[in-house]
Amino acid sequence: MFVSKPIVVVEQLTYQIGSHASPLLDGISFRLEEASFTVLCGANGCGKSLLLRHLNGLLRPTSGNIYLHGRNIWDDIWDTRQQVGLVFQDPEWQLIGETVREDIGFGLENMGVSMDMRNEKISLIAQQLQIMHLLDRYQYQLSGGEKHLVALAGVLVMGAKVVVLDEPFNALDFHATQNLLLRLLELQEQQQTTILLVTHDLEKVLAHTNHLIVMSKGQIALQGTPEQILPQVAQFGIKVPTLNARKMNDLSWLT
Amino acid sequence: MVNIGFWSYQPRLSPLHCIDSRVKLLLLTLHNYALLQLHGAGLCVVAVGILLLFWVSHIGWTALLSSFKMGVYLALFVLLLQVFSVPRDPSDVLWQVSFFWLSYSQLTYIFRLFLLLLSGQWLISTSTLAQISQAVDSFLQYIPLLRRVPLGWLLRLSWGFFPNLYHNALQIQAAQKSRLLVPQNNFRRYLRYFSQAFMTKAIKKTYYITLAMQSRSFIGKPQPSNAPLQFCDMVAVLVFVVWHIAARYSPQMLAVLLLQKQ
Ligand SMILES: Nc1ncnc2c1ncn2[C@@H]1O[C@H](COP(=O)(O)OP(=O)(O)O)[C@@H](O)[C@H]1O
Ligand SMILES: [Mg+2]
C-alpha cells in the first residue's frame, strides 16, 4: 500500500463555550489524506457543524491544533480560508450577494480575481451545477434547494484544495445530488481536491469514500474504512445501508 | 413569494450598464446638486432626460412604480409635517386653507423630490452593489482620514442585510400564522413573540453574515478600483454635460424661442 501524505491534521481539538460547561468538542483527532473523500456522520447535535467551522478558521479551538500542509492554520488564516472552502449547513446564512451571480463571484472578488475571469468561472460552475438560469435572480427569490446549489457554487468556484460540505444533500433532489456528486468526484480526480462531507445518507456516497468518521457527543467514536466500521455504526444512531442486497461499490446515487 | 427587489439591480445588456460606476457615481452627485438649483423648464428637461435614461437602460416601466410609490409617501410625509408645523410664511393663505392646494414652490419641491428618487433608482438599477461600493471606496482613497474605512463594503453589507431581514420578518409572520397566532386574536402576545423571534434572527443574521464573509476570504479592506476609463465613459460624461447645460439654460432658450415667434 502506498503512503499518501495528510493534507489536514487535527490534533486533540477541544472546544468549549464558557468555563463550567462540558466541552462541545472533546479531544478530536483525525487526518485527511490528500485527494481523499471522507464522510463524517453522527447524530444530530453531536458537533459536526462546530468541527467543520474550525477547519476553515471560523472558530478558534479552546485547545488543540489544526494543521494544513503541516502548518498551523492560524499562522496564515487568509491563506487557510482560500485553501479550505466551507459550505454551510444552512444556505440561508451563507448567501451574501444580492443576485446569484454576485454571490457566486463574492469569494473570487475577495481573492482579487479580475472581472472577466470571474464571469468565466461563474459561467462554468453554473453550467456544471446546472443553475445557469438562476444567475440573474435575486437570492431571496430562490427555493431552498436552489439556494443550496448557489451556496455550493459560491464555494466550489473558489477552487479550494480542501472542500468541506455540511450536509450538502439535504435539500437536493435526485438529479442535483447526482450533479453534485459527479462534480466532487471530478474535482477529486482532476485537481486532487480533498473532500470532507457530512451526511446522514450513507447510501448516497459510501461507494466513493475510503474514510468514514463517526462522531458521538462531541467525540470521535469510530473511524476507518467503511468495510471496517460499517458493522458498528448502528449503535451511534446511523442508518446502516442494507448491505446484503448490494455490494459496497453500489452504495451511491450515481449507480 | 413577495418580490422585495425594490430599488435593486436590474441585470440587462444595455450600454448604460457598462459605464464605469465611478463615473456614474460622480455624475449622479453633480446631477443631484444641479437639480437643487433648477426650476420649471430646467426640471422638465431633466425629467425627460431621466425617462430617456430609463428607456435606454431597458429597465422597464414597472420598476419605476417603486420610486413613485416612495415619492408619494415622502411627499405626503413632508406635506403633513408642513401642515402640523407653524407655517413659515403666514401670508401664504392658500397653504393654510388646504394642503391639496400647492403653491408653485411646493410643486417644484415635490417634482425635485421625484426626480432625485428616480435618479438614485437609475444608478442602483444599472450597477451592482459591488460596483457601487467599489466606486465609493475608490473615491474615499483620496481622503486621508477615510482611506482605511471600508465604507463601500459596509454599504453593500447593509443593503443586502435589510431586504434579508424584511424577508425574515415575513417568514416569522408566516410561521406564526401557520401556528394560529394572528394579531387580531391577541395583539400584545403577537407582538411579543414577533419581536422576540425577530431580534434573535437579526442577531443571528449579523453573526452568520460575518462568518459567511470570512469563510469566503473577506478581510474587510476597501477594494478601490483603478481600472482605466473606457470610451463609453467619456461619451457618458459628454452627454451628461450637454444635458445639464440644456437644463440650466432652458428658461433662457425658451424665452428666445418665444420672442422669435412673436
Ligand atoms: N453557540 C452555541 N452555544 C451553545 N451551544 C451550541 C452553540 N452552537 C452549537 N451548540 C451546541 O453544540 C452542539 C453541536 O452543534 P452542531 O455542531 O451544530 O451539531 P451537528 O452535529 O448537528 O451539526 C449542539 O448540541 C448545539 O446545541
Ligand atoms: Mg450540523
Side-chain angles (χ1 to χ4, degrees):
Chain A
M1 212 180 122
F2 70 103
V3 183
S4 49
K5 54 182 174 47
I7 182 165
V8 175
V9 177
V10 178
E11 267 180 16
Q12 290 298 323
L13 184 148
T14 300
Y15 181 69
Q16 194 164 11
I17 300 178
S19 52
H20 52 283
S22 62
L24 295 171
L25 294 175
D26 192 5
I28 301 245
S29 301
F30 64 91
R31 45 184 58 200
L32 303 178
E33 311 293 334
E34 185 151 17
S36 65
F37 194 129
T38 306
V39 170
L40 172 65
C41 54
N44 289 334
C46 70
K48 303 178 298 287
S49 299
L50 283 181
L51 174 60
L52 296 198
R53 239 175 260 165
H54 280 88
L55 298 181
N56 184 257
L58 290 181
L59 290 177
R60 241 181 209 279
T62 311
S63 67
N65 286 310
I66 303 171
Y67 300 95
L68 179 72
H69 287 303
R71 200 177 53 175
N72 193 319
I73 60 166
W74 283 95
D75 287 351
D76 186 352
I77 193 66
W78 164 242
D79 181 59
T80 300
R81 291 193 181 131
Q82 287 190 36
Q83 301 220 32
V84 183
L86 169 63
V87 181
F88 290 14
Q89 179 167 5
D90 188 351
E92 182 68 28
W93 304 114
Q94 177 153 13
L95 301 185
I96 296 159
E98 197 183 14
T99 62
V100 170
R101 186 185 295 281
E102 193 187 334
D103 186 82
I104 298 179
F106 179 79
L108 295 173
E109 205 181 320
N110 293 329
M111 287 160 66
V113 176
S114 76
M115 182 89 139
D116 293 338
M117 195 68 183
R118 240 187 289 159
N119 280 330
E120 212 169 282
K121 288 189 174 192
I122 292 171
S123 300
L124 186 69
I125 193 78
Q127 259 164 17
Q128 282 162 342
L129 294 180
Q130 302 188 348
I131 50 171
M132 284 296 277
H133 60 291
L134 298 181
L135 279 183
D136 287 326
R137 294 251 204 110
Y138 301 109
Q139 55 139 305
Y140 37 76
Q141 291 175 332
L142 304 177
S143 80
E146 287 169 343
K147 268 187 196 159
H148 219 105
L149 285 172
V150 172
L152 279 166
V155 171
L156 293 185
V157 78
M158 291 170 69
K161 285 301 286 174
V162 182
V163 176
V164 180
L165 306 109
D166 200 347
E167 307 197 18
F169 303 130
N170 265 359
L172 300 189
D173 61 20
F174 181 51
H175 214 68
T177 305
Q178 285 194 321
N179 268 336
L180 175 61
L181 260 181
L182 274 177
R183 182 75 204 121
L184 291 179
L185 293 175
E186 205 176 284
L187 277 177
Q188 185 194 11
E189 198 137 287
Q190 292 169 5
Q191 280 153 46
Q192 314 300 310
T193 307
T194 308
I195 292 158
L196 173 63
L197 183 150
V198 172
T199 184
H200 297 292
D201 310 321
L202 290 182
E203 85 261 9
K204 289 180 184 174
V205 287
L206 215 55
H208 311 292
T209 164
N210 32 25
H211 191 191
L212 183 62
I213 302 177
V214 180
M215 277 181 72
S216 172
K217 295 180 188 146
Q219 293 177 331
I220 289 194
L222 292 169
Q223 61 176 321
T225 62
E227 287 89 349
Q228 284 171 347
I229 64 172
L230 207 54
Q232 303 159 57
V233 299
Q235 68 196 79
F236 300 103
I238 294 150
K239 181 182 178 296
V240 186
T242 40
L243 256 183
N244 42 10
R246 313 159 77 186
K247 289 206 276 299
M248 188 72 78
N249 284 348
D250 290 338
L251 290 176
S252 160
W253 271 22
L254 284 183
T255 53
Chain B
M1 198 181 286
V2 191
N3 183 9
I4 50 169
F6 100 102
W7 265 47
S8 46
Y9 177 59
Q10 310 279 329
R12 301 281 187 281
L13 287 172
S14 89
L16 299 186
H17 280 68
C18 303
I19 302 172
D20 194 300
S21 298
R22 287 169 296 173
V23 173
K24 282 192 211 166
L25 197 63
L26 187 66
L27 293 187
L28 182 75
T29 314
L30 294 175
H31 168 87
N32 286 346
Y33 178 73
L35 255 183
L36 298 180
Q37 325 292 323
L38 291 175
H39 298 273
L43 285 180
C44 291
V45 172
V46 170
V48 171
I50 290 179
L51 291 182
L52 273 177
L53 278 183
F54 272 93
W55 183 59
V56 181
S57 318
H58 304 302
I59 290 171
W61 302 115
T62 44
L64 294 188
L65 282 181
S66 57
S67 271
F68 275 107
K69 237 196 271 175
M70 190 148 68
V72 170
Y73 289 145
L74 271 176
L76 281 180
F77 180 67
V78 171
L79 290 177
L80 274 177
L81 275 188
Q82 292 199 13
V83 169
F84 289 119
S85 60
V86 184
R88 276 199 215 108
D89 183 4
S91 63
D92 191 353
V93 188
L94 263 186
W95 181 236
Q96 292 175 357
V97 177
S98 154
F99 67 95
F100 286 110
W101 277 103
L102 303 175
S103 66
Y104 175 74
S105 68
Q106 279 153 355
L107 266 178
T108 310
Y109 185 90
I110 291 172
F111 195 27
R112 264 198 212 122
L113 188 78
F114 272 92
L115 292 181
L116 282 175
L117 283 174
L118 284 177
S119 318
Q121 190 192 4
W122 178 76
L123 176 80
I124 287 168
S125 305
T126 58
S127 341
T128 65
L129 214 45
Q131 287 167 344
I132 296 176
S133 61
Q134 212 177 21
V136 170
D137 283 341
S138 303
F139 289 123
L140 287 187
Q141 72 179 328
Y142 297 112
I143 306 174
L145 271 180
L146 295 178
R147 190 175 298 154
R148 282 173 198 288
V149 183
L151 205 64
W153 270 103
L154 291 178
L155 189 81
R156 178 174 173 182
L157 192 66
S158 50
W159 195 266
F161 186 70
F162 288 109
N164 242 313
L165 267 191
Y166 174 70
H167 188 66
N168 280 336
L170 292 182
Q171 278 176 335
I172 294 172
Q173 268 183 342
Q176 286 185 329
K177 220 187 271 174
S178 78
R179 290 202 273 160
L180 309 179
L181 181 58
V182 285
Q184 290 87 332
N185 289 356
N186 184 340
F187 187 70
R188 278 182 56 190
R189 187 152 173 271
Y190 171 84
L191 203 64
R192 181 158 61 85
Y193 278 109
F194 180 85
S195 49
Q196 197 174 311
F198 187 73
M199 282 315 289
T200 318
K201 273 256 157 68
I203 291 168
K204 197 167 171 194
K205 192 96 214 169
T206 315
Y207 172 67
Y208 267 91
I209 250 183
T210 48
L211 275 195
M213 293 182 89
Q214 281 177 359
S215 82
R216 288 205 269 163
S217 302
F218 175 66
I219 38 171
K221 264 201 247 160
Q223 300 194 333
S225 150
N226 293 315
L229 295 184
Q230 306 291 320
F231 178 68
C232 65
D233 301 325
M234 310 297 174
V235 175
V237 172
L238 202 68
V239 170
F240 175 84
V241 169
V242 172
W243 175 29
H244 269 277
I245 287 180
R248 172 71 183 78
Y249 292 104
S250 54
Q252 284 89 332
M253 288 195 273
L254 208 62
V256 171
L257 277 180
L258 290 178
L259 275 180
Q260 273 178 354
K261 278 235 172 108
Q262 277 175 3

